[in-house]
Amino acid sequence: MTKKSKKSRKSRNDSFFERVYEVVKCIPEGRVTTYGAIARFTGSPQSSRMVGWAMNASHHCPGQVPAHRVVNRQGILTGKNHFRHPDLMQELLESEGIQVDNDRIVNFNRVFWDPYKELI
DNA sequence: ACGTTGACCTATA
DNA sequence: GTATAGGCCAACG
């Protein structure tokens, strides 16, 4: 099993998504990150859309991926609408000690978790 | 196979 | 602050 078993090697193992999951899973409690930071860390600074797309699949297939810890640049819970319950995202964040006001994270700069500085 | 959409980011007006 | 444009890659019709 080596040559043409699965054809492309980047089918389901070394996908762009896998990298995203790895980073997101490394996010500690009480911390959040942005799509852009992840996209940048994965190697594509402008592929932030794919990060969101990965999250969409994350709660459908893979293990526990704290997608609720991933927000946009403004610290707004953009993807809360895609959760099982729109308010679930805020609930989880508040449960971890993150204050959320009007779908926006309070002191976003403080809870921001940068993979470049923390991870590595 | 092609075109559109998607949980975004940055820049310009 | 809102609106428009470009970009990236993957999934869906």
Side-chain angles (χ1 to χ4, degrees):
Chain A
M1 61 183 40
T2 80
K3 290 126 183 267
K4 47 196 46 180
S5 259
K6 244 43 174 48
K7 203 150 61 143
S8 304
R9 53 197 42 109
K10 61 180 313 192
S11 248
R12 239 152 243 197
N13 232 341
D14 297 345
S15 254
F16 178 96
F17 286 38
E18 266 290 327
R19 265 192 201 172
V20 177
Y21 299 141
E22 290 281 309
V23 178
V24 175
K25 281 196 250 187
C26 283
I27 302 175
E29 291 186 8
R31 286 285 214 268
V32 287
T33 189
T34 68
Y35 301 98
I38 297 172
R40 206 168 179 185
F41 191 78
T42 43
S44 295
Q46 300 206 313
S47 299
S48 11
R49 286 166 138 180
M50 273 48 279
V51 180
W53 203 235
M55 297 290 104
N56 190 14
S58 75
H59 65 77
H60 181 264
C61 227
Q64 297 163 336
V65 180
H68 61 271
R69 289 180 191 154
V70 185
V71 291
N72 70 343
R73 212 24 169 159
Q74 304 173 8
I76 302 174
L77 286 55
T78 52
K80 65 164 193 170
N81 196 8
H82 283 269
F83 275 75
R84 315 236 290 172
H85 302 291
D87 295 333
L88 180 62
M89 192 171 184
Q90 183 170 339
E91 289 282 314
L92 290 168
L93 290 173
E94 289 183 329
S95 183
E96 294 185 357
I98 300 174
Q99 296 177 312
V100 180
D101 178 55
N102 195 13
D103 293 344
R104 193 182 72 202
I105 296 179
V106 183
N107 299 329
F108 177 62
N109 191 3
R110 288 209 218 218
V111 292
F112 178 67
W113 180 80
D114 190 345
Y116 274 108
K117 294 183 175 178
E118 310 288 334
L119 193 69
I120 239 174

